[in-house]
Amino acid sequence: MPATPSTEIPVAAPVAVPAESAELQSRYGRTPRARTRDKRSLWALGGIFAVVLTAWVVWTGLDGASTVIEANDTRHSIIDDNSVSVTFEVSMPVNSASTCAVQALNESFTVVGWKIIELPPSAQYNRSFTEIVRTTELPNTGLIYECWLS
């Protein structure tokens, strides 16, 4: 009877790896003391990162002391070659004075007129204003640039 091929895969005998000497381990930084130092360094870096991240979150996200002023353009109308009327709404804290900058732009979006307006304190949160801005040439639009507490 012919011999049947075996399905068993021969396993090689384990190769003996020579043990590394203490001098060789020390040379390449594989001593127990070096591993402990590396772990401490990683924990220290992780702790510093956590402290910095927490401080940044508190500084940027949880600071509720800053007041918010919102200003939106409602409309503009060109009066003549040298002036534009700008109507805008301002939402700001009650009984707070603020200042707003209104600008007029030409067709190439160049500022051709600029006006600073001081808004008196009021008991209303939302208010509407209309201002006329004088320009150096024909304006294409007029809009609110920015508002801030004064």
Side-chain angles (χ1 to χ4, degrees), residues 11-104:
V11 177
V15 178
V17 177
E20 295 178 343
S21 68
E23 180 183 334
L24 191 61
Q25 289 179 355
S26 175
R27 178 185 298 168
Y28 293 107
R30 291 183 250 172
T31 62
R33 184 175 177 190
R35 272 185 261 182
T36 303
R37 184 185 65 231
D38 291 345
K39 285 180 185 178
R40 285 182 183 163
S41 298
L42 287 175
W43 277 106
L45 285 174
I48 290 170
F49 178 75
V51 167
V52 169
L53 180 65
T54 303
W56 180 77
V57 166
V58 168
W59 181 59
T60 59
L62 302 178
D63 181 24
S66 62
T67 57
V68 177
I69 297 178
E70 290 184 27
N72 296 316
D73 306 319
T74 2
R75 65 182 175 149
H76 73 277
S77 58
I78 299 169
I79 299 171
D80 57 20
D81 287 351
N82 294 319
S83 58
V84 63
S85 172
V86 180
T87 303
F88 58 97
E89 292 180 352
V90 178
S91 302
M92 62 183 198
V94 178
N95 296 326
S96 298
S98 67
T99 305
C100 292
V102 181
Q103 66 182 359

Side-chain angles (χ1 to χ4, degrees), residues 86-124:
V86 180
T87 303
F88 58 97
E89 292 180 352
V90 178
S91 302
M92 62 183 198
V94 178
N95 296 326
S96 298
S98 67
T99 305
C100 292
V102 181
Q103 66 182 359
L105 306 175
N106 65 6
E107 283 187 17
S108 62
F109 302 105
T110 303
V111 176
V112 294
W114 183 272
K115 187 174 185 180
I116 302 292
I117 304 152
E118 294 190 16
L119 307 177
S122 174
Q124 296 178 339

